[in-house]
Amino acid sequence: MKLILAIVQHDDSAKLTEALTKNKINVTKLASTGGFLRAGNVTFLIGTEADRVESVLEIIKDKCKSRTEVTAPAPMYMGGATAWPFEVVVGGATVFVLDVDRFEKV
Ligand code: 2BA
């Protein structure tokens, strides 16, 4: 059993949820915030059998697009200097795949 943690841009989350549930993949979504942009994103928790991980990743790749955001991060990230707005490429998705020692529904 594996746990996939996928951090996804808000704009992609509805289509990703639809595609995962259509493929009978259980998912829990948490509202989250990126530390750099301080913008809302969505963290998906997906518990799945190991042999389905690749197909879940394919769905995530298909539904999550990269976008360019213009931002000025907080001054502490720029060594205290004044930060001018600049572009960063965000996404498609940031994905972690973890081993699950034990899975129970009680
Ligand atoms: P944020 O932390 O808001 O980061 C948004 C985007 O800003 C990142 O896109 C990256 O392009 C850029 N960025 C982040 N930190 C930076 C830095 N110190 N200097 C310059 N540019 C920086 P992504 O890499 O696609 O990340 C999208 C979101 O995924 C992140 O939002 C964060 O919520 C999450 N994330 C990314 N890497 C992570 C990690 N190693 N651990 C936990 N969460 C992560």
Side-chain angles (χ1 to χ4, degrees), residues 7 33-39 41 77 86 88-94 96:
I7 303 163
T33 305
F36 191 69
L37 294 179
R38 299 174 184 209
N41 51 29
Y77 288 104
F86 63 94
V88 289
V89 177
V90 185
T94 299
F96 304 86

Side-chain angles (χ1 to χ4, degrees), residues 36 72-84 86:
F36 191 69
M76 64 180 175
Y77 288 104
M78 305 302 289
T82 304
W84 295 96
F86 63 94

Side-chain angles (χ1 to χ4, degrees), residues 21-92:
T21 51
K22 201 178 276 181
N23 284 278
K24 303 193 187 329
I25 296 162
N26 289 323
V27 60
T28 295
K29 296 195 287 183
L30 305 175
S32 46
T33 305
F36 191 69
L37 294 179
R38 299 174 184 209
N41 51 29
V42 181
T43 298
F44 284 69
L45 304 183
I46 304 163
T48 187
E49 295 308 320
D51 62 4
R52 297 193 75 189
V53 167
E54 291 309 319
S55 59
V56 172
L57 292 180
E58 284 306 315
I59 294 170
I60 294 172
K61 280 181 204 163
D62 184 50
K63 299 300 175 189
C64 298
K65 307 299 175 200
S66 65
R67 296 180 180 83
T68 301
E69 302 284 339
V70 179
T71 185
M76 64 180 175
Y77 288 104
M78 305 302 289
T82 304
W84 295 96
F86 63 94
E87 291 187 347
V88 289
V89 177
V90 185

